[in-house]
């Protein structure tokens, strides 16, 4: 069984990353890199602050990566990606709206 797996695994990866290589695969990988970079950004911001923080740019990277991944899901006809990123991107936008509303409220209170 392990010997068969050792033979099948390279074929699987060749099929996934070489045979199916096209613009949309590159786009999808780029989308995941942008989406994943938000965690590195959040980690760096938290380390600098000495506590857990969520920088505003985290939400912008979430939206950009989420929308790109959503487009990829539509092109590849992947319902799991479409549902997951469709709902998540709405939540990211809502978080930004709440952040901006709070900032506006604080500005109004300071005047």
């Amino acid at each position: 069984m392990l010997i068969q797996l050792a033979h099948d695994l390279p074929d699987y990866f060749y099929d996934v990353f070489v045979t199916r290589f096209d613009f949309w695969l590159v786009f999808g990988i780029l989308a995941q890199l942008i989406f994943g970079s938000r965690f590195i950004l959040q980690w760096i911001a938290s380390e600098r602050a000495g506590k857990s923080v969520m920088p505003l740019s985290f939400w912008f990277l979430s939206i950009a990566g989420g929308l790109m991944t959503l487009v990829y899901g539509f092109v590849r006809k992947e319902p799991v990606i479409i549902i997951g990123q469709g709902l998540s991107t709405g939540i990211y936008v809502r978080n930004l709206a709440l952040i901006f509303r709070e900032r506006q409220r604080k500005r109004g209170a300071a005047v």
Side-chain angles (χ1 to χ4, degrees):
M1 183 169 134
L2 288 176
I3 293 172
Q4 185 62 42
L5 180 63
H7 289 294
D8 292 342
L9 206 53
D11 292 338
Y12 172 81
F13 282 110
Y14 183 84
D15 181 48
V16 169
F17 290 102
V18 177
T19 304
R20 297 179 181 202
F21 186 84
D22 63 2
F23 168 80
W24 288 109
L25 176 63
V26 173
F27 183 87
I29 291 170
L30 180 62
Q32 283 299 94
L33 289 172
I34 290 171
F35 192 72
S37 70
R38 68 198 185 125
F39 292 113
I40 295 169
L41 178 87
Q42 191 270 333
W43 172 50
I44 291 169
S46 294
E47 288 293 334
R48 287 183 179 165
K51 63 179 182 175
S52 182
V53 296
M54 193 70 61
L56 186 63
S57 51
F58 176 90
W59 298 112
F60 285 111
L61 285 172
S62 297
I63 291 168
L67 287 174
M68 289 175 71
T69 305
L70 182 61
V71 168
Y72 177 82
F74 278 119
V75 169
R76 296 292 191 176
K77 299 178 182 172
E78 294 284 345
V80 173
I81 293 174
I82 294 168
I83 291 168
Q85 290 303 320
L87 294 173
S88 297
T89 302
I91 293 168
Y92 307 145
V93 170
R94 178 64 178 149
N95 274 300
L96 272 181
L98 292 170
I99 290 167
F100 288 130
R101 182 191 303 164
E102 178 67 17
R103 286 183 176 185
Q104 190 174 23
R105 187 188 63 75
K106 286 181 181 177
R107 273 193 224 118
V111 174

